[in-house]
Amino acid sequence: MNSTASHQPSSHWWPIIAAAVSLIVVHGFGRFVYTPLLPLLVDDGLITLSQAASLATWNYVGYLSGAMLALFLYQRGHGRITLALMLTSNALITLLQVFVSQYEILATLRLLNGIGNGVVFVLAPALVLEWLVTQQKAQLSGLMYLGVGIGLLSSSALVELSATWLAGPQRWLPAAIAAIPLALWSSWYLHRLPGHAPAGQGDDHSALWDRASTPLFLAYAGAGLGYILPMTFLPAVASDWQLTLVPSAWLLVAITSLPSTWLWNHLGAAIGDKTALLWNYAIQAAGVGALLLLPQQSAGLWLCAILVGGTFLGAVLLTQRLARSLHPHQGPRLSAALIALYGFTQLLGPWLAKLGIEGGASLSSTFIWGFAALVWAFVLMLWVPARRDH
């Protein structure tokens, strides 16, 4: 028996679970644990609110850089070893943050954390999708993204449970303790997963930006800015408004994100991905608009949490699927374009918030940028064809 066969998984569920666990590590414990930690770190005096926005920007710069690096390495056959290294190093960086109180060092670690996150977020799903295709189970690939929702829920629980007995940089410790064993297992399993790129699915050289796809890409760019402000600052807004919410807004984001992948996947199949995206962007815009229309009120925070938390993963899934239908042979070029657009506008969000705060605006008022971006996304989607005419 050859080595590839000996490493053949006994069930198609284990690779999906391994990919989901990798996303729990990098997206839950690495990236978005920062959102519920942010107001606590500010209250502890470790960072200012302006510095908090800058830290988020550095993390998103790293995420964009890591995603581009992942695509470069994947196309050159180095994806498997890079995934293992970046997944374990991401967890170790989370641990290093426990010992750092200087802003400049913390900013560097958040940048490196973002690079690892971007690499893993591209490579882990790509590797498992490649294997699922060989097993004729590609339709199950969306279930990997349940790891994002589970990560949000788990990181939120860890922060809330430890909020009263940890302070300052020690607040990173529960996430690091949880991340390290999960990262080791997931990286070990995914490194051993067999599979090669399916033949005949290389990129063609046709124009990626054309009349059909350009409005879809620009709409997706708007979605990146639209969702990232609440996903970064919602607990900080609650703290700024001096509201103690039960359940917390971030917990509602995590809970509503869990079923959203399944929901939007099935809704897109039932009514079409374009129509589902129009609904998705309208609901997201309503969520951000609720926070702006109901200032200083718990209802505004809760509505924003529920409506954005229940839609942002659906926007990713539906856009990727619709883009593939418009450019079925573009492969990595298409992934690169989507990741670059979404990643670039994500890092704009905290930067715009920082400018607003330094200019005397309230944190919540900077969400107007997210609302406008989601309206932009909705309007542009009206020009996107439901499918390409041949």
Side-chain angles (χ1 to χ4, degrees), residues 218-230 277-290 292 304 307-308 311-312 315 342 367-381:
L218 293 178
Y220 195 52
L225 175 57
Y227 102 99
I228 203 61
L229 285 164
L277 268 171
L278 284 167
W279 279 105
N280 185 288
Y281 291 150
I283 293 169
Q284 282 198 70
V288 179
L292 295 168
C304 185
L307 297 181
V308 174
T311 52
F312 77 96
Y342 205 57
F367 279 43
I368 190 66
W369 291 106
F371 176 76
L374 288 164
V375 172
W376 157 280
F378 178 88
V379 171
L380 281 169
M381 278 303 303

Side-chain angles (χ1 to χ4, degrees), residues 22 28 33 52 72 74 82 89 92 152 180 217 229-230 251 259 275-276 286-287 294 300 317-318 348 354 378 384 388:
S22 73
V33 71
F72 175 82
Y74 180 72
T82 303
S89 65
L92 292 174
L152 295 179
I180 289 172
F217 292 159
L229 285 164
L251 181 60
T275 303
L294 299 170
L317 182 155
L318 292 168
L348 277 181
K354 179 176 182 291
F378 178 88
V384 178
R388 181 180 290 280

Side-chain angles (χ1 to χ4, degrees), residues 14-52:
W14 282 110
I16 293 172
I17 292 170
V21 167
S22 73
L23 300 185
I24 291 172
V25 171
V26 300
H27 238 52
F29 299 140
R31 184 182 193 184
F32 281 125
V33 71
Y34 178 68
T35 302
L37 281 178
L38 191 158
L40 299 175
L41 297 176
V42 171
D43 288 344
D44 291 342
L46 185 69
I47 54 176
T48 66
L49 190 56
S50 178
Q51 287 175 332

Side-chain angles (χ1 to χ4, degrees), residues 107-368:
T108 301
L109 291 177
R110 293 309 291 164
L111 173 67
L112 295 174
N113 184 285
I115 292 172
N117 183 12
V119 168
V120 173
F121 199 76
V122 172
L123 292 183
L127 178 64
V128 174
L129 175 58
E130 173 186 311
W131 183 83
L132 288 172
V133 168
T134 67
Q135 307 299 307
Q136 290 80 49
K137 297 289 185 180
Q139 72 277 9
L140 299 175
S141 61
L143 296 176
M144 294 183 283
Y145 295 99
L146 286 171
V148 177
I150 295 170
L152 295 179
L153 189 60
S154 302
S155 61
S156 174
L158 288 175
V159 170
E160 291 196 18
L161 289 172
S162 63
T164 58
W165 55 276
L166 293 176
Q170 295 176 344
R171 294 189 185 276
W172 298 101
L173 185 60
I177 292 174
I180 289 172
L182 292 176
L184 290 173
W185 175 79
S186 180
S187 61
W188 169 81
Y189 189 96
L190 292 174
H191 183 69
R192 298 170 70 250
L193 187 67
H196 302 281
Q201 291 191 6
D203 289 356
D204 64 21
H205 298 285
S206 60
L208 191 63
W209 293 73
D210 57 20
R211 184 174 296 181
S213 60
T214 295
L216 176 65
F217 292 159
L218 293 178
Y220 195 52
L225 175 57
Y227 102 99
I228 203 61
L229 285 164
M231 289 295 290
T232 304
F233 296 115
L234 206 54
V237 171
S239 177
D240 189 46
W241 289 356
Q242 298 183 336
L243 295 175
T244 301
L245 304 181
V246 181
S248 70
W250 188 246
L251 181 60
L252 286 177
V253 169
I255 291 172
T256 54
S257 71
L258 278 174
S260 65
T261 299
W262 177 90
L263 172 65
W264 289 103
N265 181 66
H266 283 267
L267 189 61
I271 65 176
D273 290 338
K274 174 186 174 177
T275 303
L277 268 171
L278 284 167
W279 279 105
N280 185 288
Y281 291 150
I283 293 169
Q284 282 198 70
V288 179
L291 185 140
L292 295 168
L293 291 173
L294 299 170
Q296 308 290 329
Q297 297 184 43
S298 300
L301 286 163
W302 278 331
L303 282 170
C304 185
I306 293 169
L307 297 181
V308 174
T311 52
F312 77 96
L313 286 175
V316 174
L317 182 155
L318 292 168
T319 299
Q320 290 177 345
R321 193 161 65 190
L322 183 53
R324 292 279 179 171
S325 72
L326 297 175
H327 289 287
H329 304 297
Q330 289 285 9
R333 287 180 66 210
L334 179 62
S335 297
L338 291 173
I339 291 169
L341 286 167
Y342 205 57
F344 176 72
T345 52
Q346 282 181 58
L347 68 90
L348 277 181
W351 178 73
L352 289 170
K354 179 176 182 291
L355 290 181
I357 293 166
E358 292 177 346
S362 66
L363 177 59
S364 59
S365 67
T366 65
F367 279 43
I368 190 66

Side-chain angles (χ1 to χ4, degrees), residues 31-32 56-64 228 232 343 346-347 350:
R31 184 182 193 184
F32 281 125
T57 299
W58 282 117
N59 189 249
Y60 300 157
V61 168
Y63 175 75
L64 176 59
I228 203 61
T232 304
Q346 282 181 58
L347 68 90

